[in-house]
Amino acid sequence: MTMARTSTANRGGALNRGPSLGRWETAAASATNQALGATGKVGDYLEGVLIVPATTSPGPVTIKDGTGGAAITIFAGGATSLADLKPFYVPLGMKSLAAGGWLVTTGTNVSAIGIGTFN
């Protein structure tokens, strides 16, 4: 189940600038090509992805620009790839160039939260 939220929080000052005001969408563990946004389209902006491990040996996380082309691995995961279970942020700052917007695939024992502007 995908949940969309619009942020209204102040994300920090000039020295410690956090993610911009925008939407966030979740991708559960073992999700395949989870769309960020209702339909996704050219120009959707993916500011970054918060990766949330459930074990210290989680699966990979990939993103894909639309339904064509190759996936981009943003976290390889694997056996004992993490020392702890702290979520971590992968900054991206990428606009979609393909129809269908951004898609996220998560491996076992890892979920993700995409942050950006999605349609």
Side-chain angles (χ1 to χ4, degrees):
M1 177 177 168
T2 300
M3 299 178 68
R5 298 284 188 265
T6 301
S7 173
T8 58
N10 180 347
R11 299 286 187 174
L15 295 178
N16 187 14
R17 182 77 179 145
S20 69
L21 301 180
R23 292 174 52 121
W24 56 269
E25 299 266 346
T26 61
S30 301
T32 301
N33 289 331
Q34 171 70 53
L36 298 179
T39 58
K41 68 179 197 178
V42 173
D44 280 4
Y45 180 71
L46 180 58
E47 185 167 308
V49 176
L50 182 67
I51 296 176
V52 185
T55 70
T56 56
S57 299
V61 176
T62 64
I63 59 170
K64 194 172 179 184
D65 186 2
T67 56
I72 302 165
T73 301
I74 60 171
F75 174 62
T80 62
S81 57
L82 297 174
D84 56 45
L85 300 181
K86 292 179 194 162
F88 58 95
Y89 185 70
V90 178
L92 296 166
M94 301 165 69
K95 281 193 176 183
S96 175
L97 302 176
W102 292 106
L103 306 174
V104 176
T105 296
T106 56
T108 58
N109 298 313
V110 64
S111 58
I113 301 171
I115 300 165
T117 306
F118 315 116
N119 290 288

